[in-house]
Amino acid sequence: MKTFFSEDHRLHFPQAELSGGEFVTPFERPSRVEYIRNRLISRGLGAIEDPGPVDMDPVQTLLDPGYLRFLETAWADWKAAGMAGEIIAANVPARGMHMDRVPDFIDGKVGYYCHASETAMTAGTWAAAQSSMASAQAAVRQVIGGARSAFALCRPPGHHATRDQYGGYCFLNNAAVAAQMLRDGGAARVAILDIDFHHGNGTQDIFYDRGDVPFASLHGAPQDTYPYYIGYADETGRGAGEGANLNLPMPPGTPYSTWSEALDSAIARIAGWGAEALVVSLGVDAYRDDPISFFKLDSDDFTDAGARIGRMDLPTVHVMEGGYAIEAVGINTVNVLEGFLGR
């Protein structure tokens, strides 16, 4: 399995995240992907290649143009306004306020386009987000070209980014654009399977009213964890997308025996949808020692999960999402891929 990975991910490294009422080093940090990359090499999983430049055309067809312009110019606008630190949202529109009017001043604009203030932006965020998207696009091209699977080692991750908002460490929704590219490449229906601990709210947002890109997500119950306000089981799609959205929320302490039953349910639904290709939002923060989750999966469980996904026998693009137990993230991620390959 070929992996696509850009060193430009290092350009995004905020120095602070608001967590538990204090500023801490962000859980989403460059060392995460270094552990994964090193594990890929030590296990001899395949070539690791630079993806080359991003193609913004498919991104622009799927995401809001105003949002993309904001991401491109936010840092320059922030500095021009005399702001000294990193970009952190301090004001956000709430109930009773206008959701349809974008402020002119950058401080208000940041809040308009952000849905979670733990996610800071720096001078290199836009370039890093584009390089992450480029990795997803290169993996798609590999699969369209005939490979059974490919792995996009994306950082920053993407599944919390909606068509017009960032948050949850995500700026551009890599999995969503990958699915759309597979559709454009000839697959009549492309399923997205999100196994990250946190609900893929951005991916659901983008495809909620479409039936050609069905979405299934296994995640912590939103009553108890981020993103809190979305990800409930009764969210099943809208309009042409009715019945094409499957949320499988689970409570604190969920063991693999329960989680794997949910995975099997998602796999059965994907088969019922008649998917011709698959995008896996590959988060491994369901791990028992992850610092910001509450599931209880062991490292070996990820191997079994990968094997179950592999038995679907679909052309598959794996897109890296979360996983914050730094010293185990490489083992757990590669276990999914090796299980998928039947190694």
Side-chain angles (χ1 to χ4, degrees), residues 46-84:
I48 301 176
E49 295 185 3
D50 184 273
V54 69
D55 178 3
M56 288 301 295
D57 286 344
V59 182
Q60 291 166 346
T61 62
L62 202 61
L63 305 185
D64 178 71
Y67 172 59
L68 294 175
R69 286 194 299 272
F70 161 77
L71 291 177
E72 184 175 7
T73 63
W75 184 256
D77 292 346
W78 186 257
K79 291 292 127 178
M83 307 297 192

XYZ file of all heavy atoms in Angstrom, residues 46-84:
296
model
N 5.173 -0.177 2.553
C 5.164 0.266 1.158
C 5.843 1.610 1.017
O 6.311 2.209 1.989
N 5.892 2.106 -0.208
C 6.555 3.368 -0.496
C 5.807 4.539 0.144
O 4.586 4.522 0.259
C 6.652 3.576 -2.007
N 6.576 5.547 0.557
C 6.020 6.795 1.069
C 6.466 7.896 0.116
O 7.664 8.120 -0.064
C 6.497 7.090 2.500
C 6.091 5.950 3.438
C 5.928 8.421 2.993
C 6.607 6.104 4.859
N 5.497 8.586 -0.484
C 5.810 9.569 -1.504
C 5.223 10.936 -1.162
O 4.170 11.027 -0.537
C 5.256 9.133 -2.869
C 5.889 7.872 -3.406
C 5.394 7.535 -4.808
O 4.608 8.329 -5.373
O 5.780 6.473 -5.326
N 5.925 11.973 -1.601
C 5.389 13.321 -1.513
C 4.240 13.444 -2.513
O 4.347 12.971 -3.646
C 6.471 14.345 -1.840
C 5.983 15.766 -1.656
O 5.396 16.331 -2.610
O 6.176 16.317 -0.558
N 3.144 14.092 -2.129
C 1.976 14.124 -3.022
C 2.069 15.130 -4.153
O 1.255 15.090 -5.081
C 0.845 14.511 -2.078
C 1.505 15.350 -1.030
C 2.860 14.706 -0.821
N 3.030 16.055 -4.066
C 3.045 17.128 -5.048
C 2.057 18.215 -4.679
O 1.468 18.209 -3.595
N 1.815 19.174 -5.574
C 0.953 20.317 -5.246
C -0.520 19.941 -5.165
O -0.973 18.981 -5.784
C 1.205 21.292 -6.407
C 1.633 20.406 -7.541
C 2.405 19.284 -6.918
N -1.249 20.722 -4.392
C -2.684 20.519 -4.267
C -3.394 20.994 -5.539
O -2.922 21.900 -6.233
C -3.232 21.282 -3.039
C -3.166 22.788 -3.252
C -4.645 20.851 -2.679
N -4.507 20.342 -5.858
C -5.395 20.792 -6.926
C -6.621 21.404 -6.263
O -7.453 20.690 -5.701
C -5.778 19.609 -7.812
C -6.742 19.994 -8.938
O -7.056 21.194 -9.059
O -7.173 19.090 -9.676
N -6.749 22.718 -6.313
C -7.840 23.382 -5.615
C -9.171 23.301 -6.358
O -10.211 23.613 -5.779
C -7.486 24.846 -5.351
C -6.420 25.036 -4.283
S -6.896 24.331 -2.664
C -8.294 25.376 -2.219
N -9.184 22.862 -7.598
C -10.436 22.818 -8.352
C -11.494 21.946 -7.670
O -12.633 22.396 -7.466
C -10.189 22.356 -9.781
C -9.533 23.426 -10.640
O -9.549 24.607 -10.225
O -8.994 23.101 -11.712
N -11.179 20.690 -7.298
C -12.219 19.891 -6.631
C -12.577 20.403 -5.249
O -13.700 20.189 -4.775
C -11.611 18.480 -6.569
C -10.144 18.679 -6.709
C -9.969 19.885 -7.567
N -11.637 21.089 -4.597
C -11.929 21.682 -3.288
C -12.939 22.809 -3.448
O -13.910 22.930 -2.693
C -10.631 22.194 -2.632
C -10.926 22.768 -1.246
C -9.590 21.072 -2.534
N -12.721 23.651 -4.454
C -13.584 24.803 -4.669
C -14.990 24.414 -5.108
O -15.947 25.152 -4.863
C -12.941 25.730 -5.700
C -11.690 26.416 -5.179
C -10.861 27.068 -6.266
O -11.058 26.814 -7.452
N -9.909 27.900 -5.872
N -15.133 23.256 -5.730
C -16.469 22.821 -6.140
C -17.278 22.290 -4.966
O -18.517 22.254 -5.040
C -16.396 21.729 -7.221
O -15.720 20.583 -6.699
C -15.650 22.224 -8.448
N -16.610 21.915 -3.874
C -17.301 21.282 -2.755
C -17.470 22.221 -1.559
O -18.454 22.118 -0.831
C -16.543 20.026 -2.324
C -17.315 18.964 -1.547
C -18.469 18.410 -2.377
C -16.378 17.830 -1.126
N -16.517 23.124 -1.350
C -16.517 23.973 -0.163
C -16.880 25.414 -0.518
O -16.797 25.834 -1.664
C -15.148 23.926 0.520
C -14.638 22.530 0.888
C -13.331 22.622 1.655
C -15.671 21.732 1.685
N -17.266 26.171 0.494
C -17.741 27.535 0.320
C -16.612 28.459 -0.138
O -15.551 28.509 0.507
C -18.308 28.033 1.644
C -18.783 29.458 1.579
O -19.802 29.710 0.932
O -18.103 30.328 2.171
N -16.801 29.211 -1.221
C -15.730 30.090 -1.726
C -15.293 31.151 -0.712
O -14.101 31.447 -0.589
C -16.354 30.731 -2.971
C -17.443 29.798 -3.388
C -17.961 29.214 -2.124
N -16.246 31.726 0.019
C -15.898 32.724 1.014
C -15.043 32.147 2.125
O -14.117 32.802 2.628
N -15.355 30.923 2.521
C -14.565 30.248 3.555
C -13.132 30.002 3.076
O -12.171 30.226 3.825
C -15.249 28.929 3.923
C -14.454 28.039 4.849
C -14.061 28.479 6.102
C -14.122 26.736 4.471
C -13.348 27.657 6.961
C -13.420 25.904 5.323
C -13.026 26.371 6.565
O -12.320 25.561 7.405
N -12.988 29.557 1.844
C -11.650 29.304 1.312
C -10.845 30.595 1.224
O -9.642 30.603 1.535
C -11.749 28.635 -0.056
C -12.355 27.226 -0.058
C -12.523 26.714 -1.484
C -11.504 26.262 0.762
N -11.481 31.694 0.827
C -10.779 32.985 0.794
C -10.356 33.398 2.200
O -9.255 33.932 2.399
C -11.678 34.062 0.181
C -11.835 33.952 -1.327
C -12.452 35.214 -1.915
N -13.781 35.478 -1.395
C -14.902 34.991 -1.927
N -14.850 34.193 -2.987
N -16.076 35.293 -1.401
N -11.222 33.138 3.180
C -10.880 33.439 4.570
C -9.631 32.672 5.003
O -8.703 33.258 5.580
C -12.048 33.095 5.487
C -11.651 32.934 6.922
C -11.398 34.040 7.714
C -11.504 31.658 7.471
C -10.999 33.885 9.036
C -11.111 31.496 8.791
C -10.857 32.616 9.575
N -9.588 31.364 4.752
C -8.432 30.571 5.155
C -7.146 31.092 4.514
O -6.082 31.127 5.150
C -8.639 29.102 4.779
C -9.703 28.322 5.552
C -9.829 26.911 4.994
C -9.386 28.276 7.050
N -7.246 31.501 3.265
C -6.070 31.956 2.527
C -5.524 33.283 3.057
O -4.313 33.507 3.069
C -6.417 32.088 1.048
C -5.237 32.457 0.168
C -5.604 32.467 -1.296
O -6.797 32.322 -1.619
O -4.686 32.626 -2.122
N -6.396 34.153 3.525
C -5.972 35.509 3.891
C -6.009 35.782 5.391
O -5.620 36.864 5.834
C -6.867 36.548 3.195
O -8.231 36.400 3.657
C -6.839 36.356 1.673
N -6.477 34.822 6.181
C -6.722 35.080 7.609
C -5.476 35.570 8.333
O -5.535 36.537 9.114
C -7.269 33.827 8.282
N -4.333 34.934 8.097
C -3.136 35.312 8.850
C -2.692 36.729 8.498
O -2.371 37.528 9.394
C -2.014 34.320 8.607
C -0.811 34.620 9.449
C 0.361 35.207 9.052
C -0.666 34.384 10.860
N 1.220 35.344 10.121
C 0.611 34.850 11.245
C -1.509 33.828 11.829
C 1.077 34.766 12.551
C -1.039 33.745 13.145
C 0.233 34.212 13.494
N -2.685 37.048 7.213
C -2.299 38.395 6.807
C -3.262 39.435 7.380
O -2.834 40.501 7.857
C -2.246 38.489 5.283
N -4.545 39.143 7.367
C -5.539 40.076 7.910
C -5.383 40.228 9.423
O -5.538 41.321 9.974
C -6.953 39.591 7.582
C -7.271 39.653 6.101
O -6.515 40.316 5.359
O -8.257 39.014 5.681
N -5.078 39.136 10.086
C -4.888 39.133 11.543
C -3.705 40.019 11.930
O -3.798 40.846 12.838
C -4.670 37.704 11.998
C -4.591 37.430 13.460
C -3.462 37.186 14.181
C -5.681 37.319 14.389
N -3.764 36.929 15.491
C -5.131 37.004 15.646
C -7.062 37.450 14.270
C -5.905 36.820 16.779
C -7.850 37.273 15.408
C -7.277 36.961 16.645
N -2.607 39.846 11.211
C -1.419 40.638 11.501
C -1.628 42.105 11.136
O -1.171 43.010 11.843
C -0.215 40.066 10.747
C 0.249 38.716 11.269
C 0.849 38.857 12.660
C 0.232 37.936 13.674
N 0.828 38.022 15.016
N -2.314 42.338 10.014
C -2.578 43.711 9.596
C -3.432 44.461 10.617
O -3.344 45.683 10.739
C -3.261 43.726 8.233
N -4.246 43.722 11.359
C -5.091 44.338 12.390
C -4.333 44.570 13.689
O -4.917 45.074 14.663
C -6.307 43.454 12.655
N -3.067 44.187 13.735
C -2.247 44.425 14.908
C -2.307 43.346 15.958
O -1.832 43.536 17.090
N -2.856 42.190 15.610
C -2.944 41.093 16.572
C -1.558 40.476 16.781
O -0.840 40.202 15.817
C -3.916 40.026 16.076
C -5.291 40.561 15.707
S -6.156 41.273 17.129
C -7.812 41.444 16.435
N -1.199 40.229 18.026
C 0.161 39.788 18.340
C 0.325 38.276 18.368
O 1.401 37.759 18.064
C 0.585 40.358 19.695
